[in-house]
Amino acid sequence: MTATEQTEAAPRPRGTRLPRRARRNQLLGAAQEVFVAQGYHAAAMDDIAERAGVSKPVLYQHFPGKLDLYLALLEQHCESLLSAVRSALESTTDNKLRVAATMDAYFTYVQDQGGAFRLVFESDLTNEPAVKDRVEKVTLDCATAICEVIAEDTGLSKDESMLLAVGLGGFAQVVARYWLHSESKVDRDKAVELLTSLAWRGVAGFPLHGTDGH
């Protein structure tokens, strides 16, 4: 959602009392819209409360401050990315298809209409230690998941596999973000196909563990 769309969209009407979990999810959804549209520093708790259709006291009952709210949202979306990468790796035992599924997972993540990836990869709060640590952790966790597959299939050492995994993960998210922001004329599926081909040619250079094949 753009800043213009955020401004023009009507705030949600105040509704009936919700169960705590449902209210928390509602507040996180409203916060995501505001943070993505305005950035952390420009966003105000008043804006989020209005977007959610609640009073500020209700918002503060769930989140003591703006940073707490941002970190809860960041945690949610970091977990979403990690889950998507793990699911991609577990979706098949065919390594070329694993590479394709992983590339596709990153494209799906950055293409989400809610713009959650901006909170993870393009935050204006990266100088905040808690934010920096969480973003670094999800990057490392995704690489670790990829590393385990590489190490198991190639017999490379953990350190060698981790270097390759960080490269593949970073490659996927940077190119996916470039593709989205540049409004590339390359079709999404074609973009995934091209990146898969490039990545696979590199990965396939390492023979399967215990074999002479790829």
Side-chain angles (χ1 to χ4, degrees):
M1 178 179 286
T2 65
T4 299
E5 290 171 331
Q6 169 70 29
T7 301
E8 293 178 350
R12 297 183 179 91
R14 296 178 188 269
T16 57
R17 184 181 181 87
L18 294 176
R20 183 171 183 82
R21 181 179 293 275
R23 178 66 77 192
R24 177 183 171 85
N25 289 337
Q26 178 199 28
L27 296 175
L28 286 172
Q32 179 175 326
E33 293 177 3
V34 174
F35 285 136
V36 169
Q38 301 180 16
Y40 177 84
H41 294 294
M45 293 294 269
D46 284 326
D47 299 328
I48 296 168
E50 182 178 1
R51 170 59 46 193
V54 301
S55 64
K56 279 182 69 177
V58 169
L59 179 57
Y60 281 114
Q61 284 175 10
H62 293 264
F63 301 100
K66 186 168 70 167
L67 180 58
D68 299 282
L69 180 52
Y70 190 90
L71 290 174
L73 195 57
L74 181 64
E75 179 68 25
Q76 181 185 80
H77 291 301
C78 283
E79 285 299 321
S80 177
L81 173 60
L82 179 58
S83 177
V85 170
R86 283 175 171 165
S87 294
L89 293 169
E90 294 168 1
S91 65
T92 178
T93 56
D94 183 298
N95 285 329
K96 185 174 183 180
L97 294 180
R98 272 178 173 158
V99 172
T102 303
M103 295 297 155
D104 187 72
Y106 278 95
F107 269 74
T108 298
Y109 187 74
V110 304
Q111 224 181 349
D112 180 85
Q113 290 184 349
F117 79 95
R118 299 182 187 217
L119 302 178
V120 180
F121 295 122
E122 299 175 3
S123 173
D124 61 346
L125 198 59
T126 51
N127 288 331
E128 169 61 43
V131 172
K132 181 181 178 181
D133 289 347
R134 190 61 190 90
V135 172
E136 289 180 349
K137 183 177 186 301
V138 73
T139 300
L140 182 62
D141 287 345
C142 287
T144 298
I146 298 170
C147 169
E148 291 172 356
V149 174
I150 293 175
E152 180 180 351
D153 285 355
T154 65
L156 292 173
S157 71
K158 181 179 178 180
D159 287 341
E160 291 170 331
S161 298
M162 194 63 178
L163 279 175
L164 294 177
V166 170
L168 283 172
F171 168 69
Q173 68 97 347
V174 169
V175 177
R177 285 167 50 209
Y178 166 79
W179 175 84
L180 183 70
H181 288 319
S182 67
E183 298 181 351
S184 174
K185 294 181 181 179
V186 178
D187 175 80
R188 179 191 185 281
D189 290 342
K190 183 62 176 179
V192 171
E193 179 186 336
L194 288 169
L195 295 184
T196 297
S197 178
L198 178 61
W200 176 244
R201 289 184 182 187
V203 173
F206 299 94
L208 291 175
H209 185 44
T211 75
D212 293 326
H214 290 171

